[in-house]
Amino acid sequence: MTYDCVIIGAGQAGLCLASFLTKKNITVLILERDERIGDVWRRRPDSMRLFTPRAMNQLPGLIMAGDQKGYPDKHCNYPLK
């Protein structure tokens, strides 16, 4: 199979870009070195928090659970659909 775009890294930026490109019918391949998406975040210290609210850190089409004005930690979750 051929792809229009290859994205290196399945972090927040890579996943957002893939979402937007896919909506424009651009075929995307995402390459991630870790076994699972989000593993880099899982390796952070338990005390790690983002300095921007949940509402500013959500992936396209997904709402992060919890207070939208609150600051997510490494255990933030997206509800399963």
Side-chain angles (χ1 to χ4, degrees):
M1 180 169 191
T2 60
Y3 299 93
D4 297 316
C5 180
V6 176
I7 298 172
I8 309 298
Q12 185 176 15
L15 294 173
C16 288
L17 178 60
S19 174
F20 290 121
L21 292 174
T22 301
K23 288 176 185 172
K24 301 233 178 236
N25 294 319
I26 297 172
T27 58
V28 175
L29 173 66
I30 303 175
L31 301 176
E32 172 58 47
R33 71 175 168 192
D34 286 320
E35 187 174 325
R36 300 178 299 170
I37 292 173
D39 274 348
V40 70
W41 185 247
R42 290 179 186 97
R43 290 191 297 270
R44 304 279 188 216
D46 284 341
S47 60
M48 179 79 154
R49 286 199 175 276
L50 295 178
F51 56 88
T52 52
R54 281 178 182 81
M56 296 180 69
N57 290 289
Q58 299 172 138
L59 294 172
L62 296 173
I63 295 176
M64 199 180 291
D67 178 10
Q68 294 301 293
K69 294 180 182 177
Y71 300 93
D73 62 16
K74 75 178 245 180
H75 302 292
C76 61
N77 292 312
Y78 285 100
L80 298 175
K81 291 185 175 186

